[in-house]
Amino acid sequence: MFMRGKCIGCGCCTSRCNADALLYTGEEMDADKVLDEVFKDILFYRKTGGMTLSGGEPLMQYDFSLKLLKGAKEKGVHTAIETSGYYPGKLYEIAKYTDLWLYDVKIFDESEHIKYTGVSNKLIMENLKYLNATGSEIILRCPIIPGINLTDEHFEKIAELSASVSSVKKVQFMPYHPLGTEKMKSLGREQKYENCEFLSRDAILPYLEKIKDKTDKILEIM
Ligand code: SF4
Protein backbone atom coordinates (compact mmCIF):
# COMPACT_ATOMS: atom_id res chain seq x y z
CA MET A 1 0.00 0.00 0.00
CA PHE A 2 1.31 3.45 -0.95
CA MET A 3 1.22 5.87 2.00
CA ARG A 4 1.30 9.22 0.25
CA GLY A 5 1.61 11.12 3.50
CA LYS A 6 5.03 9.55 4.08
CA CYS A 7 6.41 10.25 0.58
CA ILE A 8 8.98 13.05 0.57
CA GLY A 9 9.10 13.24 -3.22
CA CYS A 10 12.75 12.22 -3.48
CA GLY A 11 12.07 10.43 -6.77
CA CYS A 12 14.30 7.40 -6.00
CA CYS A 13 11.54 4.92 -6.75
CA THR A 14 11.05 6.27 -10.29
CA SER A 15 14.55 5.26 -11.35
CA ARG A 16 13.88 1.72 -10.12
CA CYS A 17 10.54 1.30 -11.90
CA ASN A 18 11.34 -0.72 -15.06
CA ALA A 19 7.82 -0.32 -16.43
CA ASP A 20 7.99 3.48 -16.22
CA ALA A 21 4.76 3.39 -14.22
CA LEU A 22 6.19 6.16 -12.08
CA LEU A 23 7.85 9.14 -13.72
CA TYR A 24 9.54 12.15 -12.22
CA THR A 25 8.76 15.18 -14.35
CA GLY A 26 10.42 18.58 -14.24
CA GLU A 27 13.99 19.64 -13.74
CA GLU A 28 15.65 21.83 -11.13
CA MET A 29 17.22 24.91 -12.77
CA ASP A 30 18.70 28.19 -11.60
CA ALA A 31 17.40 31.47 -13.01
CA ASP A 32 20.26 31.83 -15.54
CA LYS A 33 19.52 28.43 -17.00
CA VAL A 34 15.81 29.22 -17.28
CA LEU A 35 16.64 32.50 -19.00
CA ASP A 36 18.92 30.68 -21.46
CA GLU A 37 15.91 28.55 -22.41
CA VAL A 38 13.65 31.60 -22.66
CA PHE A 39 16.08 33.49 -24.89
CA LYS A 40 16.29 30.62 -27.38
CA ASP A 41 12.94 31.85 -28.72
CA ILE A 42 13.59 35.55 -28.32
CA LEU A 43 12.88 36.33 -31.98
CA PHE A 44 9.29 35.22 -31.46
CA TYR A 45 8.76 37.41 -28.39
CA ARG A 46 9.47 40.79 -29.91
CA LYS A 47 6.03 41.68 -31.21
CA THR A 48 3.32 39.76 -29.40
CA GLY A 49 4.94 37.26 -27.08
CA GLY A 50 6.98 37.28 -23.93
CA MET A 51 7.71 35.39 -20.75
CA THR A 52 4.91 34.48 -18.34
CA LEU A 53 5.68 33.18 -14.86
CA SER A 54 3.02 30.77 -13.76
CA GLY A 55 2.70 28.14 -11.12
CA GLY A 56 1.65 27.19 -8.55
CA GLU A 57 2.33 30.66 -7.31
CA PRO A 58 5.44 32.43 -8.70
CA LEU A 59 5.44 34.93 -5.84
CA MET A 60 6.18 32.08 -3.43
CA GLN A 61 9.63 32.07 -5.05
CA TYR A 62 9.97 35.83 -5.00
CA ASP A 63 13.74 36.16 -5.44
CA PHE A 64 13.86 33.58 -8.22
CA SER A 65 10.95 35.23 -10.02
CA LEU A 66 12.52 38.67 -9.61
CA LYS A 67 15.77 37.44 -11.17
CA LEU A 68 13.90 35.98 -14.14
CA LEU A 69 11.85 39.13 -14.69
CA LYS A 70 14.87 41.42 -14.44
CA GLY A 71 16.83 39.24 -16.86
CA ALA A 72 13.97 39.20 -19.37
CA LYS A 73 13.45 42.97 -19.19
CA GLU A 74 17.16 43.58 -19.74
CA LYS A 75 16.74 41.84 -23.12
CA GLY A 76 13.52 43.72 -23.90
CA VAL A 77 11.24 40.70 -23.43
CA HIS A 78 7.65 41.41 -22.35
CA THR A 79 6.97 39.94 -18.90
CA ALA A 80 3.84 38.66 -17.17
CA ILE A 81 2.99 36.94 -13.90
CA GLU A 82 0.00 34.72 -13.26
CA THR A 83 -0.83 35.07 -9.58
CA SER A 84 -3.44 34.51 -6.91
CA GLY A 85 -2.34 37.86 -5.48
CA TYR A 86 -1.87 36.29 -2.07
CA TYR A 87 1.57 37.61 -1.21
CA PRO A 88 2.28 39.13 2.21
CA GLY A 89 5.47 41.03 1.29
CA LYS A 90 6.14 44.18 -0.72
CA LEU A 91 5.55 43.93 -4.46
CA TYR A 92 7.41 47.13 -5.24
CA GLU A 93 10.59 45.59 -6.68
CA ILE A 94 8.95 42.84 -8.71
CA ALA A 95 6.33 45.24 -10.10
CA LYS A 96 9.12 47.30 -11.67
CA TYR A 97 9.93 44.42 -14.02
CA THR A 98 6.41 43.11 -14.69
CA ASP A 99 4.48 44.43 -17.67
CA LEU A 100 1.32 42.45 -17.10
CA TRP A 101 -0.38 40.86 -14.09
CA LEU A 102 -2.79 38.00 -14.70
CA TYR A 103 -4.60 38.40 -11.42
CA ASP A 104 -7.07 35.92 -9.91
CA VAL A 105 -10.33 37.12 -8.45
CA LYS A 106 -12.25 34.16 -7.09
CA ILE A 107 -14.77 35.13 -4.40
CA PHE A 108 -15.66 38.50 -2.83
CA ASP A 109 -17.16 37.37 0.45
CA GLU A 110 -14.28 36.90 2.88
CA SER A 111 -15.65 33.92 4.80
CA GLU A 112 -16.55 32.11 1.55
CA HIS A 113 -13.06 32.86 0.24
CA ILE A 114 -11.57 31.31 3.35
CA LYS A 115 -13.89 28.32 3.04
CA TYR A 116 -12.88 27.51 -0.54
CA THR A 117 -9.30 28.70 -0.74
CA GLY A 118 -8.13 28.48 2.87
CA VAL A 119 -7.13 32.16 3.08
CA SER A 120 -8.71 35.60 3.41
CA ASN A 121 -9.08 37.77 0.30
CA LYS A 122 -8.15 41.02 2.10
CA LEU A 123 -4.49 40.85 1.18
CA ILE A 124 -5.37 39.97 -2.41
CA MET A 125 -7.54 43.07 -2.75
CA GLU A 126 -4.90 45.26 -1.07
CA ASN A 127 -2.23 44.00 -3.46
CA LEU A 128 -4.52 44.66 -6.42
CA LYS A 129 -4.90 48.27 -5.32
CA TYR A 130 -1.16 48.57 -4.88
CA LEU A 131 -0.46 47.18 -8.37
CA ASN A 132 -2.98 49.56 -9.85
CA ALA A 133 -0.89 52.41 -8.52
CA THR A 134 2.27 51.06 -10.18
CA GLY A 135 0.76 51.46 -13.65
CA SER A 136 1.41 47.85 -14.77
CA GLU A 137 -1.36 46.39 -16.90
CA ILE A 138 -3.72 43.98 -15.16
CA ILE A 139 -6.01 41.29 -16.50
CA LEU A 140 -8.47 39.94 -13.95
CA ARG A 141 -8.83 36.14 -14.19
CA CYS A 142 -12.10 34.94 -12.76
CA PRO A 143 -12.77 31.22 -12.40
CA ILE A 144 -16.52 30.64 -12.42
CA ILE A 145 -17.75 27.59 -10.56
CA PRO A 146 -21.42 26.58 -10.48
CA GLY A 147 -22.81 26.41 -6.96
CA ILE A 148 -20.04 28.70 -5.69
CA ASN A 149 -19.82 31.94 -7.65
CA LEU A 150 -22.10 31.60 -10.68
CA THR A 151 -24.41 34.31 -9.41
CA ASP A 152 -25.57 37.73 -10.59
CA GLU A 153 -24.12 39.24 -7.42
CA HIS A 154 -20.65 37.88 -8.16
CA PHE A 155 -20.69 39.17 -11.75
CA GLU A 156 -21.92 42.56 -10.57
CA LYS A 157 -19.01 42.77 -8.16
CA ILE A 158 -16.52 41.82 -10.85
CA ALA A 159 -17.92 44.58 -13.07
CA GLU A 160 -17.69 47.06 -10.19
CA LEU A 161 -14.12 46.06 -9.35
CA SER A 162 -12.89 46.14 -12.94
CA ALA A 163 -14.45 49.55 -13.50
CA SER A 164 -12.82 50.96 -10.37
CA VAL A 165 -9.28 49.69 -11.03
CA SER A 166 -7.92 51.80 -13.87
CA SER A 167 -5.01 49.49 -14.78
CA VAL A 168 -7.39 46.61 -15.49
CA LYS A 169 -7.53 46.23 -19.26
CA LYS A 170 -9.60 43.11 -19.48
CA VAL A 171 -11.57 40.55 -17.48
CA GLN A 172 -11.26 36.91 -18.43
CA PHE A 173 -13.89 34.49 -17.17
CA MET A 174 -12.83 30.88 -16.89
CA PRO A 175 -15.74 28.42 -16.78
CA TYR A 176 -15.15 25.49 -14.45
CA HIS A 177 -14.20 22.14 -15.91
CA PRO A 178 -13.57 19.09 -13.74
CA LEU A 179 -10.42 17.94 -15.56
CA GLY A 180 -8.31 18.30 -12.43
CA THR A 181 -10.58 16.13 -10.26
CA GLU A 182 -8.99 12.79 -11.10
CA LYS A 183 -5.51 14.25 -10.69
CA MET A 184 -6.43 15.61 -7.26
CA LYS A 185 -7.74 12.17 -6.28
CA SER A 186 -4.58 10.47 -7.48
CA LEU A 187 -2.52 12.91 -5.43
CA GLY A 188 -4.64 12.22 -2.36
CA ARG A 189 -5.73 15.87 -2.16
CA GLU A 190 -8.96 17.15 -0.68
CA GLN A 191 -11.83 17.41 -3.20
CA LYS A 192 -13.57 20.74 -2.64
CA TYR A 193 -15.34 20.85 -6.00
CA GLU A 194 -16.15 17.17 -6.44
CA ASN A 195 -19.85 17.78 -6.97
CA CYS A 196 -19.41 20.71 -9.35
CA GLU A 197 -20.26 20.10 -12.96
CA PHE A 198 -18.66 21.25 -16.21
CA LEU A 199 -19.73 24.79 -17.07
CA SER A 200 -20.16 25.76 -20.70
CA ARG A 201 -19.26 29.16 -22.17
CA ASP A 202 -22.91 29.56 -23.14
CA ALA A 203 -23.95 29.31 -19.50
CA ILE A 204 -21.84 32.38 -18.70
CA LEU A 205 -23.06 34.56 -21.56
CA PRO A 206 -26.34 35.70 -19.91
CA TYR A 207 -24.36 36.90 -16.88
CA LEU A 208 -21.99 38.90 -19.08
CA GLU A 209 -24.91 40.39 -20.93
CA LYS A 210 -26.21 41.82 -17.64
CA ILE A 211 -22.93 43.47 -16.66
CA LYS A 212 -21.52 44.60 -19.99
CA ASP A 213 -22.75 48.18 -19.51
CA LYS A 214 -21.44 48.40 -15.96
CA THR A 215 -17.76 48.32 -16.84
CA ASP A 216 -15.65 49.88 -19.56
CA LYS A 217 -13.30 46.89 -19.62
CA ILE A 218 -13.17 44.09 -22.21
CA LEU A 219 -14.99 40.94 -21.02
CA GLU A 220 -13.82 37.59 -22.37
CA ILE A 221 -14.75 33.99 -21.79
CA MET A 222 -11.75 31.68 -21.95
S1 SF4 B 1 9.48 9.42 -4.16
FE1 SF4 B 1 9.38 7.19 -4.08
S2 SF4 B 1 11.25 6.55 -2.99
FE2 SF4 B 1 10.99 8.75 -2.60
S3 SF4 B 1 9.84 8.84 -0.65
FE3 SF4 B 1 8.31 8.89 -2.30
S4 SF4 B 1 7.72 6.74 -2.62
FE4 SF4 B 1 9.63 6.72 -1.42
Side-chain angles (χ1 to χ4, degrees):
M1 185 174 65
F2 183 51
M3 288 181 281
R4 185 166 294 282
K6 294 198 170 180
C7 173
I8 55 165
C10 68
C12 293
C13 53
T14 61
S15 58
R16 288 171 178 77
C17 181
N18 293 329
D20 280 346
L22 286 169
L23 294 172
Y24 205 77
T25 58
E27 184 187 337
E28 208 169 311
M29 293 185 183
D30 62 21
D32 290 334
K33 196 165 176 205
V34 174
L35 285 170
D36 285 345
E37 287 298 317
V38 170
F39 296 150
K40 280 181 188 169
D41 294 323
I42 198 161
L43 286 178
F44 297 102
Y45 302 148
R46 294 284 185 212
K47 286 193 177 148
T48 53
M51 181 183 76
T52 300
L53 304 189
S54 184
E57 173 53 69
L59 295 177
M60 293 302 286
Q61 298 179 65
Y62 187 95
D63 292 338
F64 182 72
S65 296
L66 180 60
K67 215 170 170 188
L68 288 177
L69 293 163
K70 259 186 184 176
K73 289 308 295 171
E74 275 164 18
K75 294 260 187 184
V77 173
H78 182 275
T79 56
I81 297 186
E82 229 176 36
T83 179
S84 69
Y86 189 77
Y87 180 69
K90 297 266 177 272
L91 290 172
Y92 172 73
E93 191 66 10
I94 213 160
K96 284 198 292 189
Y97 303 98
T98 305
D99 297 311
L100 173 66
W101 293 83
L102 302 162
Y103 204 93
D104 282 6
V105 173
K106 299 184 179 86
I107 299 171
F108 287 89
D109 179 81
E110 191 187 8
S111 56
E112 288 286 293
H113 199 278
I114 293 170
K115 178 177 166 190
Y116 288 109
T117 70
V119 298
S120 161
N121 55 5
K122 277 190 179 153
L123 181 62
I124 294 167
M125 291 302 165
E126 279 166 19
N127 281 337
L128 180 62
K129 275 189 205 149
Y130 174 77
L131 292 176
N132 187 40
T134 68
S136 303
E137 286 198 343
I138 301 170
I139 293 179
L140 297 182
R141 311 284 302 266
C142 306
I144 302 298
I145 306 178
I148 296 178
N149 61 7
L150 182 64
T151 64
D152 284 327
E153 189 193 1
H154 183 65
F155 280 77
E156 296 261 345
K157 287 195 167 154
I158 290 173
E160 207 176 291
L161 179 69
S162 65
S164 68
V165 179
S166 58
S167 297
V168 169
K169 302 296 167 210
K170 207 185 264 190
V171 183
Q172 293 180 334
F173 295 90
M174 295 178 293
Y176 176 76
H177 57 70
L179 289 178
T181 308
E182 286 309 311
K183 190 171 182 185
M184 292 289 272
K185 273 187 199 161
S186 70
L187 289 170
R189 299 264 176 89
E190 193 190 351
Q191 298 288 306
K192 285 193 176 157
Y193 314 114
E194 198 167 19
N195 299 320
C196 297
E197 292 184 355
F198 171 81
L199 185 65
S200 70
R201 290 166 54 89
D202 287 352
I204 289 188
L205 283 172
Y207 292 87
L208 292 202
E209 195 57 35
K210 287 184 206 164
I211 62 164
K212 69 175 195 238
D213 297 328
K214 297 181 178 173
T215 176
D216 54 339
K217 307 301 160 60
I218 298 165
L219 305 177
E220 280 181 354
I221 303 175
M222 301 304 284

mmCIF file of all heavy atoms in Angstrom, residues 2-4 6-14 16 22 24, ligand 1:
data_model
loop_
_atom_site.group_PDB
_atom_site.id
_atom_site.type_symbol
_atom_site.label_atom_id
_atom_site.label_comp_id
_atom_site.label_asym_id
_atom_site.label_seq_id
_atom_site.Cartn_x
_atom_site.Cartn_y
_atom_site.Cartn_z
ATOM 1 N N PHE A 2 0.531 2.213 -0.867
ATOM 2 C CA PHE A 2 1.314 3.449 -0.947
ATOM 3 C C PHE A 2 0.782 4.467 0.058
ATOM 4 O O PHE A 2 -0.391 4.830 0.026
ATOM 5 C CB PHE A 2 1.215 4.015 -2.367
ATOM 6 C CG PHE A 2 2.042 5.256 -2.558
ATOM 7 C CD1 PHE A 2 3.379 5.282 -2.194
ATOM 8 C CD2 PHE A 2 1.478 6.402 -3.086
ATOM 9 C CE1 PHE A 2 4.157 6.421 -2.365
ATOM 10 C CE2 PHE A 2 2.242 7.555 -3.261
ATOM 11 C CZ PHE A 2 3.582 7.547 -2.899
ATOM 12 N N MET A 3 1.654 4.900 0.991
ATOM 13 C CA MET A 3 1.222 5.874 2.000
ATOM 14 C C MET A 3 1.730 7.246 1.581
ATOM 15 O O MET A 3 2.865 7.618 1.892
ATOM 16 C CB MET A 3 1.725 5.455 3.371
ATOM 17 C CG MET A 3 0.961 4.240 3.889
ATOM 18 S SD MET A 3 1.489 3.738 5.507
ATOM 19 C CE MET A 3 2.957 2.855 5.148
ATOM 20 N N ARG A 4 0.883 7.957 0.831
ATOM 21 C CA ARG A 4 1.303 9.224 0.246
ATOM 22 C C ARG A 4 1.827 10.214 1.279
ATOM 23 O O ARG A 4 2.777 10.953 1.038
ATOM 24 C CB ARG A 4 0.142 9.852 -0.535
ATOM 25 C CG ARG A 4 0.528 11.101 -1.278
ATOM 26 C CD ARG A 4 -0.514 11.504 -2.281
ATOM 27 N NE ARG A 4 -0.652 10.551 -3.366
ATOM 28 C CZ ARG A 4 0.192 10.476 -4.382
ATOM 29 N NH1 ARG A 4 1.225 11.273 -4.437
ATOM 30 N NH2 ARG A 4 0.022 9.594 -5.330
ATOM 31 N N LYS A 6 3.640 9.783 3.667
ATOM 32 C CA LYS A 6 5.028 9.554 4.078
ATOM 33 C C LYS A 6 6.026 9.832 2.953
ATOM 34 O O LYS A 6 7.232 9.839 3.166
ATOM 35 C CB LYS A 6 5.182 8.114 4.557
ATOM 36 C CG LYS A 6 4.401 7.847 5.825
ATOM 37 C CD LYS A 6 4.893 6.613 6.520
ATOM 38 C CE LYS A 6 4.257 6.535 7.895
ATOM 39 N NZ LYS A 6 4.661 5.371 8.646
ATOM 40 N N CYS A 7 5.522 10.016 1.731
ATOM 41 C CA CYS A 7 6.409 10.247 0.584
ATOM 42 C C CYS A 7 7.015 11.646 0.677
ATOM 43 O O CYS A 7 6.318 12.629 0.881
ATOM 44 C CB CYS A 7 5.616 10.101 -0.710
ATOM 45 S SG CYS A 7 6.560 10.547 -2.173
ATOM 46 N N ILE A 8 8.323 11.737 0.525
ATOM 47 C CA ILE A 8 8.980 13.055 0.571
ATOM 48 C C ILE A 8 9.341 13.540 -0.828
ATOM 49 O O ILE A 8 10.031 14.544 -0.998
ATOM 50 C CB ILE A 8 10.254 13.016 1.462
ATOM 51 C CG1 ILE A 8 11.205 11.921 0.970
ATOM 52 C CG2 ILE A 8 9.884 12.849 2.928
ATOM 53 C CD1 ILE A 8 12.608 12.034 1.539
ATOM 54 N N GLY A 9 8.889 12.793 -1.844
ATOM 55 C CA GLY A 9 9.104 13.236 -3.224
ATOM 56 C C GLY A 9 10.554 13.188 -3.664
ATOM 57 O O GLY A 9 10.961 13.967 -4.518
ATOM 58 N N CYS A 10 11.321 12.267 -3.115
ATOM 59 C CA CYS A 10 12.750 12.221 -3.480
ATOM 60 C C CYS A 10 12.957 11.683 -4.892
ATOM 61 O O CYS A 10 13.979 11.937 -5.524
ATOM 62 C CB CYS A 10 13.521 11.365 -2.489
ATOM 63 S SG CYS A 10 13.101 9.622 -2.590
ATOM 64 N N GLY A 11 11.994 10.921 -5.397
ATOM 65 C CA GLY A 11 12.073 10.428 -6.773
ATOM 66 C C GLY A 11 12.865 9.144 -6.941
ATOM 67 O O GLY A 11 12.972 8.629 -8.050
ATOM 68 N N CYS A 12 13.445 8.597 -5.860
ATOM 69 C CA CYS A 12 14.299 7.404 -5.995
ATOM 70 C C CYS A 12 13.548 6.223 -6.607
ATOM 71 O O CYS A 12 14.104 5.470 -7.402
ATOM 72 C CB CYS A 12 14.825 6.981 -4.623
ATOM 73 S SG CYS A 12 15.962 8.177 -3.952
ATOM 74 N N CYS A 13 12.281 6.082 -6.260
ATOM 75 C CA CYS A 13 11.536 4.915 -6.746
ATOM 76 C C CYS A 13 11.348 4.976 -8.268
ATOM 77 O O CYS A 13 11.256 3.943 -8.924
ATOM 78 C CB CYS A 13 10.188 4.796 -6.055
ATOM 79 S SG CYS A 13 9.205 6.297 -6.127
ATOM 80 N N THR A 14 11.314 6.178 -8.846
ATOM 81 C CA THR A 14 11.055 6.274 -10.289
ATOM 82 C C THR A 14 12.201 5.666 -11.091
ATOM 83 O O THR A 14 11.990 5.063 -12.127
ATOM 84 C CB THR A 14 10.850 7.741 -10.723
ATOM 85 O OG1 THR A 14 12.042 8.480 -10.445
ATOM 86 C CG2 THR A 14 9.696 8.390 -9.989
ATOM 87 N N ARG A 16 13.867 3.176 -10.278
ATOM 88 C CA ARG A 16 13.876 1.717 -10.120
ATOM 89 C C ARG A 16 12.651 1.062 -10.744
ATOM 90 O O ARG A 16 12.496 -0.141 -10.664
ATOM 91 C CB ARG A 16 13.953 1.360 -8.642
ATOM 92 C CG ARG A 16 15.315 1.641 -8.042
ATOM 93 C CD ARG A 16 15.287 1.484 -6.528
ATOM 94 N NE ARG A 16 16.617 1.698 -5.951
ATOM 95 C CZ ARG A 16 17.160 2.898 -5.785
ATOM 96 N NH1 ARG A 16 16.498 3.978 -6.158
ATOM 97 N NH2 ARG A 16 18.360 3.024 -5.255
ATOM 98 N N LEU A 22 6.007 4.923 -12.836
ATOM 99 C CA LEU A 22 6.193 6.157 -12.075
ATOM 100 C C LEU A 22 7.236 7.012 -12.780
ATOM 101 O O LEU A 22 8.314 6.522 -13.119
ATOM 102 C CB LEU A 22 6.710 5.838 -10.666
ATOM 103 C CG LEU A 22 5.696 5.260 -9.693
ATOM 104 C CD1 LEU A 22 6.411 4.749 -8.448
ATOM 105 C CD2 LEU A 22 4.675 6.312 -9.304
ATOM 106 N N TYR A 24 9.254 10.891 -12.903
ATOM 107 C CA TYR A 24 9.537 12.148 -12.220
ATOM 108 C C TYR A 24 9.631 13.212 -13.296
ATOM 109 O O TYR A 24 10.505 13.146 -14.166
ATOM 110 C CB TYR A 24 10.870 12.021 -11.474
ATOM 111 C CG TYR A 24 10.984 12.956 -10.305
ATOM 112 C CD1 TYR A 24 10.324 12.671 -9.115
ATOM 113 C CD2 TYR A 24 11.745 14.111 -10.385
ATOM 114 C CE1 TYR A 24 10.419 13.527 -8.029
ATOM 115 C CE2 TYR A 24 11.845 14.973 -9.301
ATOM 116 C CZ TYR A 24 11.182 14.663 -8.129
ATOM 117 O OH TYR A 24 11.270 15.506 -7.058
HETATM 118 S S1 SF4 B 1 9.478 9.415 -4.156
HETATM 119 FE FE1 SF4 B 1 9.378 7.186 -4.081
HETATM 120 S S2 SF4 B 1 11.255 6.547 -2.985
HETATM 121 FE FE2 SF4 B 1 10.989 8.753 -2.604
HETATM 122 S S3 SF4 B 1 9.842 8.835 -0.654
HETATM 123 FE FE3 SF4 B 1 8.308 8.887 -2.301
HETATM 124 S S4 SF4 B 1 7.724 6.738 -2.620
HETATM 125 FE FE4 SF4 B 1 9.630 6.716 -1.424
#
